[in-house]
């Protein structure tokens, strides 16, 4: 974004409200244009460039959904914020699915609208900067306690760096043991809130009936046993960061309450009447596919969209194996320092063995394997034979034995085999396809399904 005023297009058929928004948003420092119907708005979108569109969802001549889609066709990155009067969150959710970035429910205050608009513009700027950063990956991100040699992990850190300085809610995704806790802390430590508290709460570790009071606190007498009052995690995290681990397991009754805190930044203690306001940055993490939970109806869509302002997906270790040698050395050094032993080195064969494994438990499993290996090996070198892996990458035999390596789905296993074949064939697709008993086209089809861009052929 330049130092010029950010430009905003308001689409609202009700003249009075339109005028009011124009005036007030100009006061807020926006360059404002407005339109009274979808057609005029689309004309303006074709002629000028805007940073953001704020539109009524009920317009004459065209449905809100149709307008949204048409506006997105002029620029797919354009943030569109919906104003909807129906008071039903369903309409808003429908709009979010069709590509709206956020919504306000009428009647709303100007402050609320401005907040949403500024947040959207910040998120857009973040996306743009991140893209440029990735393109110019000349700069490498370095964190003392995070190994990130691979491009995949560099991209994660680029995003961490960008998002840290904002107040945007972050949703961390990734399998167990990939480093979600680590990344959540890194975001906090690189934010302006770093001198404030970092509070973590894990919803699966707390029984449902206690979770609410843990989060929001309680007043004396709120329930039998509440002999004094107690602040909740939200209060404790004031001016800092609240890390909500395993968000996918939060029960529906508490999801509603979280939604309210995210929307209004306010809540009451259990049994309390005073409304409390807090300044908290929220980071949520999940090792489940929240989209599937949405479909099953176990996770609220409106909450999902509020949490998913910035999503950071941390890849499983088997997808950034380039990091394994550095990780292994990092953990070996850490162990040596803790036990006061001289550092040991891995032989190339040992590193190869580590790299060949598929690591269903990800980085945590690697860390455990290294720690165990070092406990039982003396000498200055660690050989392949010193390393004992929990499960074997080969197909286990025998009745009752699991057919797939533990922790892997059939799809992941297939992907792993394809990657391995390509590795062994040095990137030569025809050769890899032959070794898998596939035609070259069948392999290409599977690669595209995996989201692997057609790599340049190495013959
Ligand atoms: N890139 C990395 N560099 C160094 N250490 C790492 C890295 N990723 C993970 N670790 C270490 O691996 C261990 C597991 O990471 P962490 O606890 O953050 O995983 P998680 O994704 O939160 O797992 P879970 O889903 O089980 O909560 C930690 O000790 C962490 O410090
Ligand atoms: Mg964790």
């Amino acid at each position: 974004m330049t130092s010029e005023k950010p430009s905003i297009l308001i689409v609202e058929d009700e003249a009075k409200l339109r005028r009011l928004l124009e005036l007030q948003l100009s006061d807020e420092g926006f360059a404002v244009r407005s339109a009274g119907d979808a057609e005029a708005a689309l004309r303006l979108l074709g002629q000028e460039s805007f940073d953001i569109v704020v539109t009524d969802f009920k317009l004459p001549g065209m449905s809100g959904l149709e307008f949204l889609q048409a506006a997105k066709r002029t620029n797919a990155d354009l943030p569109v914020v919906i104003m909807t009067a129906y008071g039903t969150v369903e309409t808003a959710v429908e709009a979010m699915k069709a590509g709206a970035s956020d919504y306000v429910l009428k009647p709303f205050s100007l402050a609320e609208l401005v907040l949403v608009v500024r947040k959207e513009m910040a998120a857009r700027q973040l996306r743009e900067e991140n893209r440029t950063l990735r393109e110019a990956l000349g700069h490498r991100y370095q964190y003392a306690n995070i190994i990130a040699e691979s491009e995949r992990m560099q991209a994660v850190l680029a995003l961490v760096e960008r998002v840290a300085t904002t107040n945007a809610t972050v949703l961390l995704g990734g399998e167990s043991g990939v480093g979600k806790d680590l990344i959540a802390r890194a975001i906090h430590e690189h934010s302006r809130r770093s001198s404030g508290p970092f509070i973590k709460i894990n919803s699966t570790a707390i029984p449902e009936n206690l979770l609410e009071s843990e989060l929001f606190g309680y007043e004396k007498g709120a329930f039998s046993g509440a002999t004094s009052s107690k602040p909740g995690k939200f209060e404790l995290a004031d001016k800092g960061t609240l890390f909500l681990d395993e968000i996918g397991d939060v029960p529906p009754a508490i999801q509603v309450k979280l939604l309210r805190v995210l929307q209004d930044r306010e809540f009451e203690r259990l049994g309390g009447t005073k409304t409390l306001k807090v300044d908290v940055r929220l980071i949520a993490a999940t090792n489940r596919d929240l989209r599937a939970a949405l479909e099953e109806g176990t996770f609220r869509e409106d909450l999902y969209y509020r949490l998913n302002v910035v999503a950071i997906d941390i890849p499983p270790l088997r997808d950034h194996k380039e990091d394994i040698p550095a990780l292994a050395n990092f953990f070996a050094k850490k162990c040596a320092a803790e036990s006061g032993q001289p550092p040991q080195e891995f032989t190339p064969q040992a590193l190869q063995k580590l790299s060949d494994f598929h690591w269903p438990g990800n980085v945590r499993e690697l860390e455990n394997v290294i720690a165990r290996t070092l406990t039982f090996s003396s000498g200055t070198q660690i050989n392949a034979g010193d390393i004992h892996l929990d499960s074997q990458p080969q197909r286990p035999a025998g009745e009752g034995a699991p057919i797939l390596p533990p922790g892997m789905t059939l799809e992941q296993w297939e992907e792993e085999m394809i990657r391995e074949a390509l590795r062994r064939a040095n990137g030569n697709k025809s050769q890899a396809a032959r070794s898998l008993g596939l035609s070259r086209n069948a392999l290409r089809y599977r690669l595209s399904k995996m989201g692997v861009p057609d790599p340049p052929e190495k013959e």
Side-chain angles (χ1 to χ4, degrees):
M1 238 164 277
T2 59
S3 56
E4 279 170 38
K5 285 184 179 181
S7 59
I8 189 165
L9 172 63
I10 296 166
V11 193
E12 168 64 62
D13 58 326
E14 206 185 304
K16 248 167 98 181
L17 179 59
R18 185 171 69 236
R19 190 76 201 121
L20 192 72
L21 289 174
E22 263 176 42
L23 288 173
Q24 294 189 314
L25 287 166
S26 305
D27 280 352
E28 287 286 330
F30 292 95
V32 186
R33 304 278 273 147
S34 72
D37 58 56
E39 212 178 301
L42 288 174
R43 222 171 16 245
L44 278 172
L45 281 171
Q47 290 160 352
E48 299 174 29
S49 85
F50 290 94
D51 292 314
I52 191 162
V53 176
V54 175
T55 178
D56 191 7
F57 207 55
K58 195 167 171 234
L59 293 166
M62 197 183 271
S63 80
L65 218 50
E66 280 170 333
F67 171 65
L68 175 64
Q69 283 157 349
K72 282 283 186 189
R73 273 196 295 276
T74 69
N75 174 1
D77 281 337
L78 182 69
V80 180
V81 172
I82 302 292
M83 305 179 278
T84 174
Y86 307 107
T88 66
V89 171
E90 284 71 29
T91 328
V93 167
E94 189 193 355
M96 303 278 283
K97 278 188 186 164
S101 352
D102 209 340
Y103 60 87
V104 286
L105 294 179
K106 285 180 177 177
F108 52 83
S109 69
L110 180 77
E112 198 184 334
L113 180 64
V114 169
L115 201 77
V116 167
V117 165
R118 291 209 188 285
K119 191 197 78 190
E120 269 328 304
M121 302 209 356
R124 182 191 184 188
Q125 188 179 5
L126 209 69
R127 282 195 295 274
E128 274 169 11
E129 287 180 2
N130 191 42
R131 195 176 312 140
T132 2
L133 278 166
R134 281 169 98 155
E135 279 164 13
L137 211 71
H139 171 82
R140 295 189 64 79
Y141 294 93
Q142 286 191 330
Y143 289 63
N145 60 339
I146 303 180
I147 300 296
E149 308 259 303
S150 64
E151 211 166 299
R152 294 285 302 261
M153 286 306 291
Q154 279 291 309
V156 167
L157 292 191
L159 209 46
V160 166
E161 195 120 324
R162 289 292 94 200
V163 81
T165 52
T166 73
N167 268 328
T169 304
V170 179
L171 183 59
L172 294 175
E175 292 174 16
S176 185
V178 292
K180 296 185 292 294
D181 272 62
L182 190 67
I183 294 294
R185 273 175 205 281
I187 293 172
H188 173 73
E189 273 151 26
H190 287 77
S191 75
R192 284 188 294 264
R193 300 170 172 270
S194 58
S195 58
F198 177 86
I199 305 284
K200 174 179 162 169
I201 179 163
N202 183 331
S203 56
T204 50
I206 300 170
E208 179 171 349
N209 57 343
L210 293 183
L211 185 58
E212 185 177 356
S213 62
E214 275 293 312
L215 281 167
F216 305 107
Y218 56 83
E219 294 294 348
K220 187 176 169 177
F223 46 86
S224 61
T227 50
S228 60
S229 58
K230 195 182 159 205
K233 301 281 189 199
F234 268 101
E235 277 175 81
L236 296 177
D238 195 25
K239 308 270 182 310
T241 306
L242 181 62
F243 177 42
L244 271 173
D245 209 1
E246 311 284 1
I247 187 81
D249 294 306
V250 170
I254 294 179
Q255 291 178 27
V256 186
K257 304 211 161 171
L258 283 176
L259 181 65
R260 175 164 169 235
V261 188
L262 278 177
Q263 277 174 344
D264 309 328
R265 302 277 150 192
E266 57 181 43
F267 61 92
E268 288 90 31
R269 284 182 180 177
L270 233 73
T273 47
K274 203 168 101 200
T275 298
L276 302 168
K277 280 218 171 259
V278 283
D279 170 22
V280 168
R281 191 294 166 82
L282 204 68
I283 303 178
T286 176
N287 56 22
R288 304 196 335 190
D289 181 4
L290 272 193
R291 293 206 153 263
L294 293 187
E295 257 149 50
E296 289 163 16
T298 52
F299 202 81
R300 293 182 67 101
E301 297 198 79
D302 41 14
L303 178 59
Y304 173 75
Y305 289 120
R306 293 280 171 187
L307 290 171
N308 197 24
V309 176
V310 178
I312 303 184
D313 286 311
I314 308 170
L317 183 54
R318 61 183 168 277
D319 286 352
H320 57 109
K321 287 192 163 183
E322 313 91 282
D323 284 322
I324 288 178
L327 279 166
N329 284 315
F330 174 77
F331 293 135
K333 265 207 201 104
K334 198 166 118 185
C335 285
E338 278 166 9
S339 62
Q341 302 283 323
Q344 292 168 293
E345 300 232 337
F346 293 91
T347 63
Q349 293 78 8
L351 288 178
Q352 189 60 48
K353 181 169 180 178
L354 292 173
S355 298
D356 286 343
F357 193 56
H358 62 273
W359 301 109
N362 294 299
V363 183
R364 177 179 299 115
E365 185 180 8
L366 175 62
E367 185 173 9
N368 291 340
V369 165
I370 304 287
R372 206 169 48 210
T373 302
L374 295 196
T375 315
F376 295 112
S377 72
S378 40
T380 54
Q381 276 203 330
I382 301 161
N383 298 300
D386 298 328
I387 299 172
H388 298 285
L389 300 166
D390 279 336
S391 44
Q392 293 303 308
Q394 293 87 16
R395 191 179 312 228
E399 236 179 301
I403 293 173
L404 288 165
M408 262 198 166
T409 65
L410 181 59
E411 214 167 85
Q412 287 167 343
W413 177 248
E414 181 182 313
E415 285 194 20
E416 192 49 38
M417 290 299 97
I418 291 173
R419 286 184 208 278
E420 184 57 33
L422 276 169
R423 248 190 310 271
R424 287 192 201 174
N426 229 339
N428 181 317
K429 266 173 284 171
S430 313
Q431 201 182 317
R434 259 196 314 278
S435 72
L436 291 164
L438 292 173
S439 73
R440 209 165 159 280
N441 275 337
L443 176 63
R444 289 175 74 151
Y445 168 73
R446 282 180 166 78
L447 283 172
S448 72
K449 218 174 61 176
M450 285 159 60
V452 177
D454 216 358
E457 190 71 78
K458 292 184 204 147
E459 293 302 335

